Amino acid sequence: MARSRFVSSAARLVSGALLVAMGVLLLLNSASAIQLIIWLLSAGLLLAGLLRLLEMQDNASRRVPVFVAGLLLILSAIALPLARSASLPVLALFLSLALFFAGALRFASMAKGSRTPAFRGVLTALTGVFGAVVSIFWPRLSLWVLGVVFGMWLVLLGLRALSTPLRNVLPAPPKWMRAVGSAGLTGLAIFGLVAVMGIGALTAFLHSQSSTSSADDFYLPPASVPNARGELIRSEPLAQQALENTEAWRILYTTASEDGSAAIASGIVTVPRDARGALPVISWANGTKGIASQCALSASPNPYDDGPAIAREEMLSRGWAIVATDYVGLGTAGPHPYLVPQAEAHAVLDATRAAAQLDALAEQGMRLDERSVVWGHSQGGHAALATAKEAKEYAPDLDILGVAVMAPASDLPHLAESIADTSAGKIVSSYIAASWNELYPQMDIADRLTPRSELAVNQLSKNCFTGAGAVAGVAQASQLFEPVFSPEALDHGLSELLEQNSAPIPKGLPIFLSQGATDSLVVPSMQRNFVQASCQHGAQIGYAEYPGLDHMPLVGEGSALNQDLVRFTQSLLEGETAYPKTASLCGK
């Protein structure tokens, strides 16, 4: 009998420790590849089931529900890897049913338990049951949430399994220590339940953010649209959202689409409040915000939540103006030509032209200089390179001094391949699929998608890639277990179209290209290849990689890029080209 109890206690110690380890691994790797998550889930279910079977000897009256619960968990552990090709909602439902019935059977088995262990058992069971409810009622649950919910349940189950054998083998601690330990375990169980309930509330909130809305009447075209490009249609102050010590307006103006046809776009003009005279201009091309109309930067509650904020504020304090386009189709009627270089370039150049026509500037004794420097990050980097290529022919009236591009989407075939299996990559691919399906109907892009990919594209294209919308988008993208574009979908001209819409190589202008060395979205190898090709084609380019910085941290507050960007931009106005000391230059 004593030997049997010793073996049982040892088995519980090992099982409990392994359950805690599995739970922690799930919590730490909940954003990893689906195959790793499935194997972790399966191992956790198996350990939980074996632990339940060990509990059968505790009380003869509870053997039937405990046996059934253990058997259910073990069978689920075996079945889960076999169902790994199923969609996330199916896996979520499968796991939710296992958690629900295991929790219900635990309630039944605790009917005659002592009060304190039973209370903690109830909390653990409730965590599993509520996690099941979250999975059932939110079938678009993200893989991350599924991993977190199940990981918490395993940790709580493992700690509960460790508590009893540890009390039996360790010397009896003082009464106060036992009370503190019991309270701690109970508190941890309460925390787990509250955390899972919070995840449920967060999931509900994220789903509420995925609905579409319309931009306001400011973006509606007038009855008579001017024929000329870069003509200001209307403007209004951006008083509430303006930066400190600045004045800002949102503008509506004429431009041209990728085929040269007339289009309307919107944007934001920001100037230092006390400036006078001619202000040099930074033409800002913003990064990916989405492709739906409501995703316009000028319609955002925080229109300056994009790009290198420290560098932007420094340039404003030095007397520069900043003109930022929304591009066509964001705010105004679509489609938005996402990653289509000519349309992006036209929108950037025409925004700078239209901004110079603001009467409010003349009323305050200032005007916009013809001299400008183009900045762009990510999609905006792609647009900035296109702007440098198009400027001389499309807008010879503007004096473009140079271009600063940050992690640009320079090589679209490379981009499509390198990010195909990531959540952010699936969002970008969905934007391309939805936008280009309208812009290039001859390509029949929608017909190239699988039913799962098509559903993901329809959902993701309605989300803005900002704030809660970005989190909701990542949650939805994690449910697609395949790339948006399969290798077959890229055949028959689509690969060539990606190549055609890659960033052009501009000549005759100084270019400063910056890149985060640990960027997981726009990978450094893409930029190195682009820089090498640019140098071979006679471009004047300086390239700098910033160690330890990912895609967004590259333009974050702590990035050294901010001061390098300021120095480069200011030097162009002074007739020099001051690349960072760490930059590599063509031919050197």
Side-chain angles (χ1 to χ4, degrees):
M1 187 70 173
R3 179 182 177 84
S4 175
R5 288 182 177 176
F6 174 78
V7 171
S8 176
S9 294
R12 290 191 187 192
L13 281 171
V14 173
S15 298
L18 289 174
L19 279 170
V20 172
M22 284 293 172
V24 171
L25 282 173
L26 268 173
L27 290 170
L28 295 178
N29 293 279
S30 54
S32 299
I34 180 61
Q35 299 303 327
L36 174 61
I37 297 297
I38 286 177
W39 286 111
L40 287 173
L41 291 171
S42 180
L45 285 168
L46 179 62
L47 286 170
L50 293 174
L51 184 63
R52 291 292 169 85
L53 296 182
L54 288 173
E55 295 176 358
M56 289 176 57
Q57 63 179 346
D58 290 349
N59 194 317
S61 64
R62 296 188 291 176
R63 285 183 178 176
V64 173
V66 170
F67 175 76
V68 173
L71 184 62
L72 173 66
L73 291 171
I74 291 172
L75 291 176
S76 298
I78 296 172
L80 187 59
L82 301 178
R84 62 181 181 272
S85 61
S87 64
L88 183 63
V90 172
L91 291 178
L93 179 62
F94 178 85
L95 281 174
S96 70
L97 291 174
L99 291 177
F100 182 84
F101 285 113
L105 289 166
R106 174 168 287 280
F107 281 127
S109 70
M110 291 187 305
K112 297 182 180 181
S114 60
R115 184 175 180 182
T116 301
F119 177 64
R120 286 201 293 270
V122 166
L123 292 174
T124 304
L126 281 174
T127 301
V129 169
F130 194 82
V133 173
V134 170
S135 298
I136 290 171
F137 284 94
W138 299 106
R140 295 192 303 175
L141 187 69
S142 77
L143 182 64
W144 174 80
V145 174
L146 186 63
V148 169
V149 168
F150 197 75
M152 285 183 175
W153 182 72
L154 289 180
V155 169
L156 292 173
L157 197 63
L159 291 174
R160 184 175 177 276
L162 287 170
S163 62
T164 300
L166 286 176
R167 285 199 305 268
N168 293 335
V169 299
L170 296 176
K175 185 176 181 180
W176 67 268
M177 190 177 293
R178 292 198 302 272
V180 170
S182 179
L185 288 173
T186 302
L188 187 60
I190 293 173
F191 171 79
L193 178 59
V194 171
V196 172
M197 293 176 69
I199 288 173
L202 174 62
T203 306
F205 171 73
L206 293 179
H207 281 270
S208 72
Q209 302 302 302
S210 62
S211 60
T212 58
S213 60
S214 300
D216 60 48
D217 291 345
F218 176 84
Y219 301 93
L220 295 177
S224 177
V225 178
N227 291 324
R229 306 294 183 254
E231 288 293 311
L232 181 65
I233 296 174
R234 69 173 67 102
S235 65
E236 68 176 29
L238 198 71
Q240 294 181 344
Q241 295 96 340
L243 295 171
E244 186 177 359
N245 298 320
T246 68
E247 294 189 57
W249 301 264
R250 58 177 177 171
I251 59 173
L252 192 72
Y253 62 94
T254 61
T255 186
S257 58
E258 70 284 352
D259 60 1
S261 59
I264 295 177
S266 54
I268 299 174
V269 181
T270 308
V271 299
R273 178 169 296 157
D274 299 326
R276 296 293 182 269
L279 310 183
V281 178
I282 291 173
S283 297
W284 169 245
N286 62 74
T288 298
K289 294 293 172 284
I291 62 171
S293 178
Q294 73 272 14
C295 301
L297 200 67
S298 63
S300 169
N302 185 4
Y304 299 98
D305 186 21
D306 183 72
I310 299 297
R312 175 175 53 216
E313 293 170 10
E314 175 67 20
M315 298 314 296
L316 284 166
S317 71
R318 293 185 180 211
W320 287 65
I322 296 179
V323 179
T325 182
D326 289 326
Y327 308 116
V328 173
L330 300 184
T332 57
H336 169 51
Y338 183 63
L339 293 174
V340 177
Q342 293 85 358
E344 292 173 334
H346 296 165
V348 172
L349 292 165
D350 286 328
T352 304
R353 287 165 149 177
Q357 302 163 33
L358 274 169
D359 291 336
L361 296 177
E363 292 170 359
Q364 298 183 42
M366 66 179 83
R367 65 179 179 83
L368 299 190
D369 199 321
E370 292 80 10
R371 295 174 297 176
S372 68
V373 177
V374 184
W375 287 9
H377 175 240
S378 195
Q379 177 194 0
H382 178 272
L385 289 167
T387 300
K389 178 71 163 56
E390 297 284 322
K392 187 173 182 179
E393 181 177 347
Y394 184 82
D397 50 310
L398 296 179
D399 183 10
I400 307 297
L401 303 177
V403 183
V405 290
M406 304 145 234
S410 54
D411 184 339
L412 298 191
H414 192 156
L415 180 69
E417 179 182 355
S418 62
I419 63 175
D421 291 321
T422 68
S423 292
K426 289 169 186 174
I427 293 173
V428 170
S429 298
S430 294
Y431 290 164
I432 291 174
S435 172
W436 291 13
N437 189 56
E438 293 190 68
L439 293 172
Y440 307 107
Q442 72 278 11
M443 299 299 298
D444 295 321
I445 291 176
D447 294 338
R448 300 168 183 247
L449 306 178
T450 67
R452 291 176 184 171
S453 294
E454 185 176 13
L455 177 61
V457 168
N458 290 336
Q459 291 176 343
L460 292 168
S461 62
K462 298 174 183 177
N463 281 346
C464 299
F465 199 48
T466 56
V471 180
V474 171
Q476 291 176 347
S478 71
Q479 302 160 41
L480 182 64
F481 296 167
E482 60 191 43
V484 169
F485 295 119
S486 66
E488 295 77 17
L490 293 173
D491 289 339
H492 309 294
L494 185 52
S495 291
E496 288 78 4
L497 188 58
L498 286 166
E499 182 65 40
Q500 175 185 323
N501 282 332
S502 291
I505 297 174
K507 301 177 185 177
L509 287 174
I511 302 169
F512 169 36
L513 195 156
S514 56
Q515 171 70 36
T518 57
D519 196 325
S520 56
L521 181 61
V522 178
V523 295
S525 59
M526 180 196 306
Q527 306 307 355
R528 295 168 194 154
N529 293 339
F530 178 80
V531 170
Q532 183 178 10
S534 298
C535 292
Q536 291 173 352
H537 284 80
Q540 181 185 347
I541 187 168
Y543 175 61
E545 282 189 15
Y546 292 80
L549 296 183
D550 206 333
H551 195 64
M552 296 310 296
L554 175 67
V555 293
E557 290 187 5
S559 173
L561 169 65
N562 285 289
Q563 291 307 312
D564 290 343
L565 190 54
V566 168
R567 283 191 291 268
F568 171 77
T569 305
Q570 189 67 38
S571 73
L572 295 177
L573 186 65
E574 297 165 359
E576 303 174 356
T577 304
Y579 292 109
K581 294 179 180 179
T582 56
S584 59
L585 307 179
C586 292
K588 296 183 180 181

